[in-house]
Every structure is written in structure tokens, then in C-alpha cells.
């Protein structure tokens, strides 16, 4: 039995801003089935403290980056949690990373240093449960190996990059505030262009590094995708792997989903499509109903969608969109909805509605400029909403493009486009229309999509395969 502490800044179903939360919520359950004993360390945000049920205090910090903190243990939704209750850091209104005005909390360096410090404390044997592996997710857990080193703890640290665009950088003036070793503020540890980089600390201090698809792992080694850290990753290339994410196939099951009209074949989508059109105020049309559920940013290709929208709307195409983000993009999308009867936009996020959209959509759009893995296209595959995606990252690894070869072999599951530009997306919409007007081919693609293995079983086994040699090596010392 391998004991693993997962260190994350968000975790479904308790707190979610993006796909990291879905992974942090589902992967431990899958790893448990692989013979791992899992615990998840999570900040005690105000938004989750009332959802924890019965808790037990297992450790106290008299002064954790500016105030008293306690570690609580509890179980929620099948997850065994360790919650860092630090009111001075986490008990506040606003988002978990940003304030009500959308600006980063100025003490984010201290907030997530505290999470990493607590992880190292647990890794050092402070509790009656000591992990064999510490598994950190993204920059918020990146300082963990520095605190392990300072404490002389040898517990292996595995680091997963979900999105390298966020580095967790701060001024070197905070070296003392963050209890970091000034002698290690150098190119071989956590110095990045004169700043402290939590992400680089994780990359340099990890025993093994992985990211969330094979293609994204290759992309990260290039200047285009490495976000300034491609050189660092090139140094760690031998320890870098790609493991594609899965989804929670119990929560996302078209045959049992309580948010939709259940179905088990493509024919069952018709009732959901009709209901979705009614929900969004769209009248039945001749073309495909496309759905998009996303943060509204240029990274997600929303500006490309706006430019290519006329081609989608030709021949009766429709768009139902749910998301929030860049105010300029929100305004542009709302203006498009005001101009076009076949466009409907909801600003915000609504989990039940997202299920209804995937169930009712003919196609699901993911036009991202870069996408480490992506979960949306996996939900689409599961529900027979054919993904139309950019050829990048995990989108390249999980969708079989409707190329002539794939169509003749009867294996296509969606449409990919490249380069990631508005004209290429327009061409993809033309291909979408052409395929939609061939019902037998379209339904074959839907059946192919719904047969794809999108759960966590294979990926969880790959994670365990990373852990096992590290534990064996540690035991041999």
C-alpha cells in the first residue's frame, strides 16, 4: 500500500475554478482502486468550511505566515481530507485566488507557501499518518520541496503541471517572509529572472514531473509553449512524462445523470437537444447545435470563435455558450447574441446546466490556443457531443480527427483544426456542417465517441507506476 498526500489549491466537489479541481477530486478515488492510500491537503477557504461536516484537529501551527492555523481531518464525498484552517489566509470574501475586483490577492505568496509548508510538515512525520509520496499540483504546491529540504525530510515529491502559464512568482524581498533559504535563491532552485518562482521550485525539486498529456509534455520543451521555463524542463526532460487526465465517469454518465434526460445511444440526444434549445431560447434549426463551456479568455480561443462565428451560423448552425472571464470578450459575445437569433450566451457558471449542454449539444467547441489536457472534450465524447478542437496538447491526444483515413476506417470521433487561427476554425465549421448533413456518418462518429475510454483507470495506473519506484528506492536507503 503506497501512502500518498495530494496537495492542491482546489478540489471538487468542495471548491472549483477549473479542471484542476475535477482532477484533484477524481484522481485520489481512482488511485485508491489502484492500491494507494490517499489523503488530500486543501486550504480551508471560507467557502468550504461549512461543507466539511465532522472534523478532528490533528495539528496546530502557532504562527503560520502571520497567524495561528490548524490541520483538520475529515471525509467528504469519499475523499479523506486534511484541511489547513488558517483564517488569516483563507477566511475571506472573493475568489480563492482573486479578490472581488478580479485582482490577485496580494498575500497569495504567503497563502500558498503555507499550504506547501503544511505539506512538508505532514511529509516529515508530524501526524500519525505519514505519506510515502507527496504529490503537488501546480505552483500553489511548488514550494513543498524547498520546505522538505529545509527540514531535512527525504519524502519524494511528484509534481504535476496542469497549466504552466501560472508561475506563482513574487519579489525576492519575500525570501525571509516565506522562510526560504537565501543560499538556494539561484538558477538551480527557485530563482527566475530575479524573482521567487514557486513553479520553478517545484520543477527543480521534484523527483518526477508529469503533465496532463503526452503532447503537452512535448510542447512544454519548446519556447512557444514553455512560458519561459522550457530550458528548465529541458534539464529535467528525463524525469518528465505526460499522463492524460480522465473524468469522473460516475458523475458524467449519460445513462444515470440526474441533470438530463438519460440516454444510452446517440438517438437519445434528441430530447436533450430540444430541451437545451428551449432553455437558451433557441428555435429548432437545420444545422448543428454547438455548445461551449469555458473560461472566456484568449488562451481558450474565444476571440477566434467570435471571428469565425459567421461560418458557424451559416446553414442553420447554432451556438449556446456558458462561461465568464475577460470582460471585453463577455461584451463581444453578448453583442453577438443580441445580433443573431441562433446565438445564446450565459455569463457565469452553472454545473447542472453544463451537463445539460453536453447532453443536448451536437458538437462541443474547444478552440484553445493551448490546452494541457482539457476535460470538456472528454465530457463531449462521453455524451456523444462531437468535439471540434484545436490541434494542441491533450486535445490532440484524445480526439480522433475526421480525416479521410479515419473516416474510411470508421474510427473518427471529432474534428481537429490547425493552425489555431480564425480562418482555420472557419474551415473546421464548414467541415462540421458537411458531416452533420450526412446522418449515417455523423451517428457513426457519435457512437465511436461514446465508446471511448475517458475514465481514470489507465491514467491512475500510470501515476502509481511513477510512485512505486520512488517508494522502493526510499525503502532501500
Amino acid at each position: 500500500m503506497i501512502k500518498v498526500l495530494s496537495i492542491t489549491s482546489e478540489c471538487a466537489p468542495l471548491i472549483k475554478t477549473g479542471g484542476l479541481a475535477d482532477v484533484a477530486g477524481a484522481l485520489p478515488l481512482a488511485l485508491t482502486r489502484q492500491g494507494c492510500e490517499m489523503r488530500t491537503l486543501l486550504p480551508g477557504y471560507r467557502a468550504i468550511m461549512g461543507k466539511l461536516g465532522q472534523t478532528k484537529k490533528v495539528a496546530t501551527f502557532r504562527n503560520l505566515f502571520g497567524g495561528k492555523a490548524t490541520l483538520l481531518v475529515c471525509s467528504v464525498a469519499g475523499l479523506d481530507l486534511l484541511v489547513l484552517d488558517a483564517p488569516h489566509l483563507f477566511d475571506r470574501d472573493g475568489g480563492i485566488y482573486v479578490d472581488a475586483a478580479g485582482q490577485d490577492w496580494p498575500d497569495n505568496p504567503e497563502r500558498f507557501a503555507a499550504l506547501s509548508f503544511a505539506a512538508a510538515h505532514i511529509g516529515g512525520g508530524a501526524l500519525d499518518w505519514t505519506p510515502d509520496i507527496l504529490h503537488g499540483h501546480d505552483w500553489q504546491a511548488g514550494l513543498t520541496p524547498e520546505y522538505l529540504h529545509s527540514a531535512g525530510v527525504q519524502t519524494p515529491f511528484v509534481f504535476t503541471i496542469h497549466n504552466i502559464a501560472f508561475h506563482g512568482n513574487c519579489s525576492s524581498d519575500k525570501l525571509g517572509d516565506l522562510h526560504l533559504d537565501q543560499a538556494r535563491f539561484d538558477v538551480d532552485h527557485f530563482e527566475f529572472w530575479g524573482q521567487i518562482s514557486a513553479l520553478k521550485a517545484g520543477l527543480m525539486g521534484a523527483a518526477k514531473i508529469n503533465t496532463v498529456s503526452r503532447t503537452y509534455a512535448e510542447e512544454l520543451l519548446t519556447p512557444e509553449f514553455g512560458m519561459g521555463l522550457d530550458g528548465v524542463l529541458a534539464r529535467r526532460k528525463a524525469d518528465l512524462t505526460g499522463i492524460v487526465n480522465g473524468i469522473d465517469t460516475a458523475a458524467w454518465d449519460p445513462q444515470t445523470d440526474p441533470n438530463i434526460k438519460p440516454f444510452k445511444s446517440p438517438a437519445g440526444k434528441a430530447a436533450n437537444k430540444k430541451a437545451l434549445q428551449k432553455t437558451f431560447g433557441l428555435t429548432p434549426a437545420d444545422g448543428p447545435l454547438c455548445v461551449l463551456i469555458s473560461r472566456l479568455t484568449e488562451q481558450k480561443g474565444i476571440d477566434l470563435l467570435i471571428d469565425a462565428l459567421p461560418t458557424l451560423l451559416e446553414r442553420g448552425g447554432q451556438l449556446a455558450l456558458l462561461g465568464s472571464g475577460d470582460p471585453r470578450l463577455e461584451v463581444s459575445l453578448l453583442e453577438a447574441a443580441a445580433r443573431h437569433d441562433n446565438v445564446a450566451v450565459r455569463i457565469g457558471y452553472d454545473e447542472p446546466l453544463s451537463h445539460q449542454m453536453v447532453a443536448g449539444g451536437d458538437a462541443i467547441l474547444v478552440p484553445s490556443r493551448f490546452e494541457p489536457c482539457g476535460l470538456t472534450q472528454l465530457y463531449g465524447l462521453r455524451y456523444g457531443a462531437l468535439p471540434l478542437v484545436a490541434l494542441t496538447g491533450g486535445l490532440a491526444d484524445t480526439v480522433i480527427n475526421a480525416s479521410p483515413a479515419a473516416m474510411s476506417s470508421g474510427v473518427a470521433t471529432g474534428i481537429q483544426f490547425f493552425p489555431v487561427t480564425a480562418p482555420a476554425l472557419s474551415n473546421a465549421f464548414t467541415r462540421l456542417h458537411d458531416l452533420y448533413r450526412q446522418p449515417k456518418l455523423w451517428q457513426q462518429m457519435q457512437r465511436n465517441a461514446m465508446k471511448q475510454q475517458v475514465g481514470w483507470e489507465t491514467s491512475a495506473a500510470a501515476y502509481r507506476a511513477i510512485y512505486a519506484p520512488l517508494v522502493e528506492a526510499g525503502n532501500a536507503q
Side-chain angles (χ1 to χ4, degrees):
M1 182 73 71
I2 300 174
K3 294 184 287 186
V4 182
L5 178 69
S6 176
I7 310 148
T8 181
S9 58
E10 54 186 270
C11 180
L14 285 170
I15 192 80
K16 174 179 175 177
T17 70
L20 168 59
D22 293 312
V23 174
L27 179 56
L29 300 176
L31 282 167
T32 298
R33 296 191 291 271
Q34 292 289 330
C36 294
E37 186 178 325
M38 302 297 301
R39 301 285 188 277
T40 299
L41 175 64
L42 183 69
Y45 307 111
R46 177 183 293 179
I48 75 169
M49 293 304 292
K51 304 176 184 178
L52 299 180
Q54 186 174 357
T55 63
K56 177 183 177 183
K57 184 187 299 185
V58 292
T60 300
F61 302 91
R62 285 179 292 185
N63 186 358
L64 184 67
F65 299 97
K68 183 179 178 180
T70 56
L71 273 173
L72 307 174
V73 296
C74 60
S75 295
V76 177
L79 297 169
D80 291 322
L81 301 180
L82 284 156
V83 178
L84 181 61
D85 183 17
H88 61 294
L89 299 174
F90 304 119
D91 183 19
R92 57 184 68 172
D93 291 328
I96 63 177
Y97 308 124
V98 299
D99 60 23
Q103 300 299 311
D104 285 350
W105 291 111
D107 62 344
N108 272 349
E110 288 83 1
R111 297 172 77 224
F112 297 108
L115 183 70
S116 295
F117 189 91
H121 187 68
I122 297 165
L127 308 183
D128 60 5
W129 180 86
T130 302
D132 301 309
I133 296 287
L134 297 174
H135 185 168
H137 298 272
D138 274 349
W139 75 264
Q140 293 88 351
L143 290 176
T144 302
E146 287 301 312
Y147 297 129
L148 289 169
H149 179 269
S150 296
V153 176
Q154 300 297 315
T155 306
F157 178 71
V158 173
F159 195 40
T160 297
I161 308 165
H162 296 268
N163 192 335
I164 205 169
F166 304 103
H167 290 190
N169 292 349
C170 66
S171 169
S172 60
D173 294 342
K174 286 187 175 288
L175 279 167
D177 294 339
L178 300 181
H179 309 313
L180 294 170
D181 184 350
Q182 187 162 357
R184 291 168 65 85
F185 183 61
D186 59 29
V187 68
D188 292 323
H189 297 99
F190 57 89
E191 183 271 336
F192 184 73
W193 294 97
Q195 292 188 301
I196 296 166
S197 171
L199 182 62
K200 183 178 177 182
L203 296 175
M204 295 303 296
K208 294 291 182 179
I209 304 164
N210 82 285
T211 191
V212 291
S213 69
R214 286 181 297 176
T215 296
Y216 191 56
E218 295 168 359
E219 290 173 342
L220 289 180
L221 299 172
T222 69
E224 181 181 359
F225 291 95
M227 299 291 179
L229 288 166
D230 49 291
V232 173
L233 285 161
R235 292 177 62 182
R236 300 301 316 276
K237 183 177 179 180
D239 295 312
L240 173 65
T241 58
I243 301 173
V244 72
N245 284 335
I247 62 172
D248 184 339
T249 52
W252 290 87
D253 184 343
Q255 297 188 53
T256 60
D257 192 332
N259 302 292
I260 68 168
K261 300 178 187 299
F263 63 97
K264 61 181 180 180
S265 71
K269 289 181 66 68
N272 286 285
K273 179 176 180 178
K274 184 177 180 180
L276 183 64
Q277 287 171 322
K278 183 176 180 180
T279 296
F280 274 90
L282 298 169
T283 57
D286 293 334
L289 171 57
C290 297
V291 298
L292 188 147
I293 306 156
S294 177
R295 284 186 292 113
L296 304 181
T297 65
E298 290 191 356
Q299 181 220 317
K300 296 295 186 179
I302 305 303
D303 56 319
L304 307 180
L305 171 65
I306 293 169
D307 290 344
L309 195 56
T311 306
L312 171 61
L313 300 182
E314 291 173 0
R315 299 155 71 184
Q318 296 182 311
L319 173 67
L321 182 147
L322 173 66
S324 63
D326 186 328
R328 294 171 298 174
L329 293 174
E330 289 181 359
V331 169
S332 295
L333 289 164
L334 290 169
E335 290 175 346
R339 289 194 307 271
H340 301 287
D341 292 339
N342 275 351
V343 177
V345 173
R346 296 278 183 94
I347 300 300
Y349 187 71
D350 182 324
E351 183 74 17
L353 180 58
S354 71
H355 286 243
Q356 294 158 23
M357 293 173 70
V358 180
D362 294 307
I364 190 162
L365 309 181
V366 194
S368 302
R369 285 183 165 85
F370 66 93
E371 192 65 62
C373 178
L375 298 177
T376 306
Q377 83 279 8
L378 302 181
Y379 301 142
L381 292 169
R382 179 87 162 141
Y383 283 59
L386 299 186
L388 188 157
V389 304
L391 183 64
T392 186
L395 305 177
D397 292 350
T398 55
V399 177
I400 302 173
N401 183 42
S403 65
M407 294 300 290
S408 64
S409 300
V411 297
T413 63
I415 295 172
Q416 296 172 335
F417 68 94
F418 186 83
V420 189
T421 62
L425 178 55
S426 292
N427 289 337
F429 285 144
T430 298
R431 293 166 59 201
L432 178 73
H433 280 294
D434 291 343
L435 286 168
Y436 186 73
R437 279 164 171 72
Q438 302 177 69
K440 289 185 178 180
L441 287 177
W442 184 266
Q443 289 166 17
Q444 179 61 55
M445 289 177 64
Q446 288 181 305
R447 287 191 291 272
N448 294 343
M450 295 179 73
K451 292 176 184 176
Q452 298 301 298
Q453 297 300 312
V454 294
W456 272 107
E457 291 76 11
T458 300
S459 298
Y463 276 104
R464 194 186 188 287
I466 290 177
Y467 301 154
L470 298 176
V471 174
E472 291 170 6
N475 292 337
Q477 292 179 354

